[in-house]
Amino acid sequence: MNKSITLLLMAVGMLWTAVAIGQVNYTANDVLPPYEGYYHPGINLGYYGPNWDDNQLADLSAGNETVGVDGVGIKALRGSLPEGLGLTFTYDIWRNKYLYNQAVGTTDNLLFLGFASEEHKDKNDYCATNDIPTDMFAKLYEPIWDNGENGTPVNDENYYALYVYEVVSRLKDQVKFWEIWNEPGFDFTGAKGFLQPGQPGNWWENNPDPCDYKLRAPIFHYIRTLRISYEVIKTLAPDDYVVVAGLGFDSFLDAILRNTDNPDDGKVTAEYPLGGGAYFDVVGFHAYPHIDGSTRYWDNDLGDFVFTRHSDSAADALKVRTDARQEVLERYGYDGVTYPKKEWIATEVNVPSTPFVQPWGSQEVQRNYVMKVNIEAMQLDYTQLHLFLLADFKTEEEAGFEFDLMGMYSSISDKLPYQQELKESGIGLKTMSDALFETRYDATATAAMNLDDNIDGGAFLHEDGTYTYALWAKTETDLSEDAFAVYNFPTSFGITNMVRKEWDYSATGDRLPEIGFEIALSGAPIFLRKAEEDPDITLDVSCNVGVEFQITATTPEGGQVVTWPEPTATTNCPGGVVSIEQTLG
């Protein structure tokens, strides 16, 4: 009897807590706690037919020893949960998916929110010339909160607020970053977003016409979704981050920042006091250098474009675009002084492994780019970078355009688990991730390396105070990955014996001996550690009686994956003597 009473009281207390939740009293203009986690290489899973479920795709991403899959070094996943799927299958089934993701080793995952179900779509037609409906929610301007009616703290009549509440309340322990919509600024005209101030129809001085871009609704409605998202997410999970990415154009970011969520032309009023920058923490990109102009520039003397289609130019473009977007943010006070600086992320990135319309693309190009752009993101202090696709959508023979062939695996649609075939990009990605995950880029140590202009890379600090060094010769020729350079560590580093891991180390396991000078480099990154600090050194144990290894299995919370810590060796040799020889490679 007492037990039943206790449970009843607990239930009543929980209900009271739920309905007592209220609106947050701050915005991103007031506080933005810096992300202190390690950089996470991430990926978009994709869909490959009925042979593969989401758990098996998570195995291919992060690895799972229990099914014999090494993975490709992914530490965070980008997923989605549109309202229609949540209402059809219930939101609860996604919790098991994300518990599995957590168990295979992905943490601080990202999920993009958006896309109203048919019954909750805004039925207004905001485009006079095209009868194209919006996917945005109706009733965005209903109050966000109520007094706890219907058992939720949000107002159930505000469909979007209820949707965000349903998703975030279930997945907040596995998801850290919440991206609001996918590519909200996608320009269907192909021209308006690029226009500069002063040009007719530009988005710097004019708000995007709903006829011209993906949302098919006024931009104030998108800012309203940001405001609702921010209030609900920060109430449920105050340490999580609200993200805008895939904006397409700096001009679209400017439009978000200069307008409020006021449906009356984005004007500032007492009810709508703040621009859109108050309602997100993280800003980022979708980066496709083969089509976004990153690998060409205009030469006035030639009167034509000069192309720089190689992996270093493509990876360096991330910094160019970040700096440009930071300039926009600072014009509206997001400089760390007036308002907190934003964090950074990229949620779709890659280049093709086969050329189509443009004559650029190969396994080598994609592999080098995938490694270099992740390293560039670490140097820029990004939180995450998500490659566009886990596996190719089609075979090379079937592919119709480059986005079919942006995976880390060859096409798996006609294969059964686990018959997948790694591409060079997947091998390189895992090598890079294994070498650098849980490190932080050390700009001071990198400067001390005195890298020549034709060499790139840097020093990455492990928690134990040791370093991994990433190095490569810069590619500089259009349509070529050929590059060569020689590097010498300064004598002040005191480096002699090193372990060298080539781009394909995750497949070969070959650890090559290297000294700290006359290090030959190509266009593919290598990873170097002092020999005595490398955790992958093998131990050859010899004894004329035998050696017993005692290994204890530990299971992460969630239970699906077993990890093995370093083994403890005991011996039955006479006198307890064990002869151990350290070998490299």
Side-chain angles (χ1 to χ4, degrees):
M1 182 66 178
N2 289 339
K3 183 176 181 181
S4 299
I5 292 174
T6 301
L7 291 174
L8 178 61
L9 290 173
M10 287 175 62
V12 171
M14 289 171 64
L15 177 61
W16 182 86
T17 300
V19 299
I21 294 175
Q23 179 178 342
V24 294
N25 60 359
Y26 61 87
T27 71
N29 287 0
D30 305 307
V31 59
L32 201 168
Y35 177 67
E36 296 182 349
Y38 289 105
Y39 170 80
H40 283 51
I43 209 157
N44 293 264
L45 290 181
Y47 175 72
Y48 307 96
N51 289 349
W52 296 85
D53 63 31
D54 288 346
N55 290 354
Q56 291 159 340
L57 298 179
D59 294 340
L60 295 192
S61 301
N64 185 341
E65 292 181 5
T66 64
V67 294
V69 175
D70 291 333
V72 291
I74 293 303
K75 304 301 181 183
L77 297 174
R78 180 182 186 239
S80 66
L81 179 44
E83 188 198 33
L85 288 179
L87 295 177
T88 301
F89 298 105
T90 78
Y91 294 105
D92 288 327
I93 68 167
W94 261 257
R95 179 157 174 75
N96 288 334
K97 293 176 187 289
Y98 276 85
L99 285 172
Y100 191 93
N101 295 342
Q102 182 182 50
V104 297
T106 67
T107 57
D108 290 3
N109 294 295
L110 178 142
L111 185 145
F112 72 78
L113 298 166
F115 309 125
S117 62
E118 192 59 39
E119 59 267 37
H120 290 160
K121 283 182 181 178
D122 185 347
K123 304 301 183 183
N124 291 305
D125 188 355
Y126 299 101
C127 175
T129 59
N130 291 299
D131 187 20
I132 301 176
T134 178
D135 284 328
M136 299 194 77
F137 285 74
K139 298 191 176 182
L140 285 172
Y141 287 90
E142 291 291 322
I144 301 171
W145 306 96
D146 60 19
N147 295 318
E149 288 88 347
N150 303 310
T152 68
V154 297
N155 175 18
D156 290 20
E157 291 302 308
N158 187 314
Y159 300 142
Y160 182 72
L162 180 61
Y163 159 70
V164 175
Y165 173 80
E166 297 285 10
V167 177
V168 176
S169 62
R170 287 166 172 82
L171 300 181
K172 60 187 176 69
D173 292 333
Q174 287 74 45
V175 174
K176 188 75 171 178
F177 295 88
W178 303 91
E179 186 178 1
I180 311 307
W181 233 263
N182 180 50
E183 297 185 336
F186 189 91
D187 180 8
F188 286 129
T189 73
K192 295 287 183 69
F194 285 112
L195 295 176
Q196 296 303 302
Q199 294 182 290
N202 77 83
W203 289 353
W204 297 97
E205 299 160 323
N206 307 278
N207 289 322
D209 187 324
C211 296
D212 293 339
Y213 78 116
K214 183 176 181 178
L215 295 183
R216 302 295 190 184
I219 194 169
F220 327 119
H221 292 198
Y222 179 66
I223 299 169
R224 180 66 174 177
T225 67
L226 289 175
R227 182 175 182 176
I228 295 168
S229 301
Y230 189 92
E231 291 195 13
V232 176
I233 291 168
K234 294 296 182 177
T235 297
L236 295 171
D239 294 329
D240 285 2
Y241 293 85
V242 180
V243 178
V244 294
L247 300 180
F249 306 95
D250 295 346
S251 58
F252 192 81
L253 173 62
D254 191 272
I256 292 172
L257 298 174
R258 70 176 181 258
N259 285 290
T260 76
D261 56 324
N262 189 341
D264 183 13
D265 205 32
K267 298 174 183 175
V268 174
T269 66
E271 188 176 1
Y272 306 103
L274 301 175
Y279 305 117
F280 66 89
D281 308 299
V282 186
V283 65
F285 300 97
H286 289 181
Y288 297 108
H290 63 295
I291 59 172
D292 65 11
S294 298
T295 54
R296 68 178 188 180
Y297 63 91
W298 182 261
D299 187 309
N300 284 327
D301 293 334
L302 293 176
D304 200 354
F305 284 106
V306 175
F307 287 90
T308 58
R309 291 164 293 191
H310 51 80
S311 57
D312 276 278
S313 174
D316 290 346
L318 189 66
K319 183 179 189 309
V320 174
R321 298 185 67 195
T322 302
D323 289 346
R325 196 150 287 184
Q326 181 60 39
E327 287 184 14
V328 177
L329 290 165
E330 289 184 0
R331 285 203 292 271
Y332 292 90
Y334 297 98
D335 54 8
V337 179
T338 305
Y339 303 127
K341 276 190 171 183
K342 303 298 185 184
E343 295 282 348
W344 293 91
I345 201 165
T347 58
E348 287 185 23
V349 178
N350 213 343
V351 297
S353 59
T354 299
F356 281 88
V357 176
Q358 293 197 39
W360 185 47
S362 69
Q363 288 255 10
E364 183 184 24
V365 164
Q366 190 180 76
R367 168 248 294 172
N368 287 350
Y369 175 73
V370 161
M371 300 175 77
K372 292 175 183 179
V373 76
N374 272 281
I375 293 170
E376 178 80 3
M378 294 184 73
Q379 293 171 328
L380 294 172
D381 200 25
Y382 269 52
T383 58
Q384 301 182 353
L385 181 144
H386 292 263
L387 296 167
F388 170 63
L389 201 58
L390 177 63
D392 291 349
F393 279 136
K394 297 180 180 180
T395 65
E396 284 201 26
E397 295 74 23
E398 297 168 335
F401 74 136
E402 58 266 38
F403 283 85
D404 290 334
L405 301 172
M406 286 194 177
M408 303 298 101
Y409 295 91
S410 298
S411 176
I412 60 175
S413 298
D414 61 345
K415 291 181 170 62
L416 295 173
Y418 289 90
Q419 298 175 355
Q420 66 284 342
E421 179 182 344
L422 274 168
K423 294 169 63 177
E424 288 188 15
S425 54
I427 295 169
L429 175 62
K430 180 167 173 55
T431 297
M432 182 280 306
S433 178
D434 288 351
L436 299 183
F437 185 57
E438 295 188 335
T439 70
R440 299 189 190 278
Y441 174 65
D442 189 327
T444 301
T446 298
M449 291 173 68
N450 296 325
L451 299 179
D452 292 338
D453 290 342
N454 64 337
I455 296 174
D456 207 348
F460 295 84
L461 180 64
H462 294 265
E463 201 169 59
D464 63 3
T466 63
Y467 284 91
T468 290
Y469 303 95
L471 287 171
W472 65 89
K474 288 183 180 179
T475 54
E476 298 178 328
T477 304
D478 186 40
L479 298 177
S480 176
E481 290 299 296
D482 291 340
F484 178 78
V486 175
Y487 176 71
N488 298 288
F489 275 96
T491 56
S492 59
F493 278 65
I495 291 176
T496 53
N497 294 328
M498 305 190 78
V499 176
R500 174 181 178 136
K501 298 175 183 178
E502 302 283 354
W503 69 266
D504 58 355
Y505 169 76
S506 63
T508 67
D510 292 339
R511 293 176 294 275
L512 306 176
E514 184 67 87
I515 55 178
F517 55 90
E518 299 298 312
I519 300 171
L521 303 173
S522 72
I526 65 167
F527 302 91
L528 300 163
R529 290 200 76 176
K530 290 183 178 179
E532 66 271 20
E533 295 171 354
D534 180 42
D536 292 329
I537 294 211
T538 60
L539 298 177
D540 292 336
V541 182
S542 61
C543 173
N544 59 0
V545 176
V547 176
E548 175 188 358
F549 287 94
Q550 297 177 338
I551 303 176
T552 303
T554 61
T555 306
E557 186 177 355
Q560 285 88 345
V561 177
V562 173
T563 60
W564 305 91
E566 294 183 6
T568 300
T570 62
T571 180
N572 296 319
C573 297
V577 176
V578 181
S579 173
I580 299 177
E581 179 184 356
Q582 177 175 299
T583 61
L584 299 178

